Amino acid sequence: MSFREGIITDKNELTLAPEPPFATAADAREEEEMRIPEGPVTVYRHRDSTLSGTVIFPITKAQSNGLEDLRICHFTHDDGTEEWIGTYTAYNGSVIQSELMRTRDWRSIDLVPMSGGASRNKGMALFPRKIEGKYMMLGRQDGENIFLHTSDDITHWEGGELLIKPQYPWELVQMGNCGPPIEVDEGWLVLTHGVGAMRKYSIGAALLDKNDPSKVLARSKEPLLAAADQDREGYVPNVVYTCGAIRHGSKLFIPYGVADSSVAFAFVPIKSLIEQMD
């Protein structure tokens, strides 16, 4: 996992921090140098490194073949304390495992495996606060539909309730979430990805009830973003994909990948997006 810092202005401008000349690996500081840790592990950003210059490499056996699709939210606990929590997929070459990345200061970062049947699937995304006393996640349990999960323990996830299934042509092959739900006045705004004919990926949205996210209030009939002609070619063709958006005033700021070869950015008015849902 790597990171890139930047500043967003109220004029829909993004200024990225200068790219450092080299990156520094986060340090697990294991007592035994050759030992491969199991279970939770804490890594530390080098004191002289910026966040943009920090890379988290696989450390545990479960992560040995990669860390993928980090979805971050700014989580507020019941006592008012806050931390950044991200869900990501660890892959060991044959088995995937969903894990949590947790940090309060971006200096020390905890990498924590999740347990339970739901954690053995990709694409989990955490709601940024408890709802009715429960932690909640979105997930893709069958590879085709979006599910809603609840738990008393942020590290243990089972079952799941079918929430959204493909309906329109641009999402008929499969669907998934595009990052943690975003709280707006109207409810929980969820970016979704849909896969249509020729494995073409598009980004849409859904609106969930604020007090009962199992209720879908509205969803996109047409894609918000889709692969344009100039965006089709790349390492993975026909793909636009995001792992999360940021609410910035009245707009959503959406960084998204193009064909797994480059990154683009979009600003979308929240009001207009919701008005176009059905």
Side-chain angles (χ1 to χ4, degrees):
M1 286 187 285
S2 59
F3 308 90
R4 193 68 186 273
E5 298 161 283
I7 296 174
I8 305 170
T9 73
D10 57 3
K11 297 179 180 179
N12 297 343
E13 298 170 337
L14 169 66
T15 302
L16 288 174
E19 188 173 11
F22 58 87
T24 303
D27 180 12
R29 299 183 189 175
E30 281 294 309
E31 292 181 5
E32 299 175 29
E33 220 173 277
M34 300 303 293
R35 178 177 164 286
I36 299 176
E38 296 289 345
V41 64
T42 301
V43 297
Y44 301 87
R45 176 156 64 98
H46 190 279
R47 63 181 181 275
D48 295 327
S49 177
T50 64
L51 186 58
S52 295
T54 299
V55 178
I56 299 177
F57 286 100
I59 296 172
T60 67
K61 289 181 180 178
Q63 304 167 356
S64 58
N65 275 54
L67 309 172
E68 303 173 353
D69 297 341
L70 177 64
R71 291 163 158 83
I72 300 176
C73 70
H74 192 196
F75 192 92
T76 302
H77 293 277
D78 290 343
D79 62 2
T81 60
E82 301 175 340
E83 66 176 314
W84 294 95
I85 304 179
T87 54
Y88 62 92
T89 302
Y91 180 55
N92 69 1
S94 59
V95 177
I96 61 173
Q97 169 69 49
S98 289
E99 299 189 350
L100 295 175
M101 185 206 75
R102 308 181 66 167
T103 183
R104 294 183 186 272
D105 57 9
W106 292 103
R107 284 289 176 183
S108 64
I109 301 171
D110 298 324
L111 306 178
V112 184
M114 289 189 281
S115 60
S119 70
R120 293 191 288 272
N121 292 279
K122 302 184 73 171
M124 300 192 75
L126 182 68
F127 283 71
R129 62 174 174 85
K130 282 184 175 181
I131 302 171
E132 299 297 323
K134 299 281 189 180
Y135 295 105
M136 288 195 175
M137 282 254 201
L138 298 178
R140 196 181 68 195
Q141 296 311 102
D142 57 6
E144 296 180 2
N145 306 291
I146 299 176
F147 287 73
L148 178 67
H149 304 270
T150 61
S151 179
D152 294 317
D153 182 347
I154 198 171
T155 65
H156 184 85
W157 298 88
E158 298 282 1
E161 174 186 351
L162 179 61
L163 182 66
I164 303 173
K165 60 184 180 179
Q167 180 175 343
Y168 302 108
W170 55 276
E171 59 189 19
L172 279 182
V173 174
Q174 70 181 52
M175 293 192 69
N177 69 74
C178 280
I182 297 168
E183 191 167 7
V184 296
D185 292 342
E186 295 83 353
W188 293 102
L189 184 58
V190 178
L191 293 183
T192 64
H193 75 259
V195 182
M198 304 299 292
R199 297 292 298 176
K200 179 181 177 181
Y201 277 65
S202 302
I203 297 173
L207 185 68
L208 310 180
D209 186 88
K210 187 173 291 192
N211 298 315
D212 182 4
S214 68
K215 296 179 180 178
V216 180
L217 304 180
R219 58 189 291 186
S220 301
K221 292 185 292 185
E222 300 291 338
L224 174 63
L225 288 169
D229 290 342
Q230 66 269 26
D231 298 333
R232 292 183 184 276
E233 299 301 323
Y235 182 71
V236 182
N238 274 2
V239 171
V240 292
Y241 192 87
T242 181
C243 283
I246 299 171
R247 180 178 181 178
H248 186 71
S250 62
K251 295 183 174 66
L252 284 185
F253 168 66
I254 308 174
Y256 63 96
V258 178
D260 267 19
S261 300
S262 60
V263 176
F265 306 95
F267 289 89
V268 179
I270 294 172
K271 183 178 180 181
S272 298
L273 174 58
I274 293 175
E275 287 175 349
Q276 291 172 17
M277 293 186 194
D278 190 10

